Amino acid sequence: MTTLTVSRPEPGTAGAVRRGALSRVVDRLGGGIVQVVLIVLALFWLVPTLGLLVVSLRADADNNSTGWWTALTRPAQLTLENYANILATGFTASFWNTVAITVPSTVLVIGIAAMAGYAFAWMEFPGRDALFLVVVALLVVPIQIALIPIAKLYGTLGIFGSIPGVVLFHVAFGLPFAIFLLRNFFAGIPRELLEAARMDGASEWKIFATVVFPLAKPAIASLGIFQFLWVWNDLLVALVFADSGAQPMTKALQSQMRQFGTNVDILAPGAFLSLIIPLVLFFAFQRYFVQGLLAGSVK
């Protein structure tokens, strides 16, 4: 006679299984909810940009009579005439002035700050710590208190109102933060990596160019985005140091507001042209931007 033995689950085992299954379901639902919330927030963030684009493509009469969202159901309202009109006013020259100011200001800040940050992090020289404290102290110096002294200096040097003068101002006030950021990033690089390169006979310049600089791509990309956006969107420095022949888009738009306070058909396309370049830059380098923000947070 064969005896069948039925094993009973240990006390609490079934409850643990149910709790584990419930936890997995909650995790999946929670991840889905987070994704939906993030998508909704991203769409809300893009609504002003979409509205500005639609307004820039509508006639002034349509913008004054109805809201921009009505064009979504009546696409016949959309036209490129506004862009043709603003380009005919000389806005193209202001666009290229903005490029001529922003690109050198960004490249020079990155290049100088990278070399200075490496020197502060890994090179020994007299007064290094005191000089770095001076750089940190310059972070709290507001731009406004330097406008008049630098304007007098530019007048003496004969560069007031020119693009090089605007570039020099942006480079000077962008360097303290850039040096501080990159120095802290470079200091987190393992010392053994640099010592191994020195043992192989590499000079300081070669170590910087072939070892340190490639490792700092995320931090440099983040710095480049910050510097580019700051210079591209600047109005105060342009108002003070750029004359009519060197004015960037921000100053050109400001002058249009002063002359045509209610001309949305002029202001909207100009504002969108000024906005689209930073948006493209940010989305193109957002992966490096996130890596730069997280750099050093996990050891």
Side-chain angles (χ1 to χ4, degrees), residues 19-83:
R19 287 193 297 270
L22 181 61
S23 177
R24 287 192 295 270
V25 172
V26 171
D27 290 340
R28 292 177 181 177
L29 291 177
I33 293 174
V34 170
Q35 292 179 358
V36 171
V37 171
L38 291 177
I39 292 174
V40 171
L41 290 177
L43 292 176
F44 272 113
W45 184 75
L46 290 174
V47 164
T49 304
L50 175 62
L52 180 63
L53 173 62
V54 174
V55 169
S56 68
L57 293 173
R58 300 177 75 205
D60 191 41
D62 294 330
N63 287 323
N64 291 332
S65 60
T66 58
W68 63 267
W69 51 87
T70 58
L72 300 179
T73 57
R74 286 181 286 177
Q77 295 180 353
L78 304 181
T79 176
L80 294 176
E81 184 179 355
N82 294 340
Y83 286 91

Side-chain angles (χ1 to χ4, degrees), residues 168-192:
L168 287 176
F169 191 95
H170 284 301
V171 171
F173 276 87
L175 279 176
F177 172 74
I179 294 173
F180 176 77
L181 176 68
L182 293 183
R183 183 265 177 192
N184 291 340
F185 184 88
F186 291 156
I189 297 176
R191 181 182 296 272
E192 293 78 8

Side-chain angles (χ1 to χ4, degrees), residues 70-171:
T70 58
L72 300 179
T73 57
R74 286 181 286 177
Q77 295 180 353
L78 304 181
T79 176
L80 294 176
E81 184 179 355
N82 294 340
Y83 286 91
N85 293 336
I86 193 172
L87 293 178
T89 63
F91 194 79
T92 305
S94 299
F95 173 82
W96 290 116
N97 287 339
T98 306
V99 174
I101 292 172
T102 306
V103 173
S105 299
T106 304
V107 173
L108 287 174
V109 165
I110 291 176
I112 297 173
M115 292 184 287
Y118 174 77
F120 280 123
W122 293 110
M123 297 180 65
E124 298 288 343
F125 56 89
R128 182 187 69 172
D129 295 337
L131 187 58
F132 185 69
L133 288 177
V134 173
V135 173
V136 174
L138 291 175
L139 289 172
V140 300
V141 177
I143 292 178
Q144 290 80 359
I145 68 172
L147 294 177
I148 295 178
I150 293 181
K152 292 181 179 179
L153 177 63
Y154 280 5
T156 304
L157 297 176
I159 59 174
F160 185 85
S162 64
I163 290 179
V166 181
V167 170
L168 287 176
F169 191 95
H170 284 301
V171 171

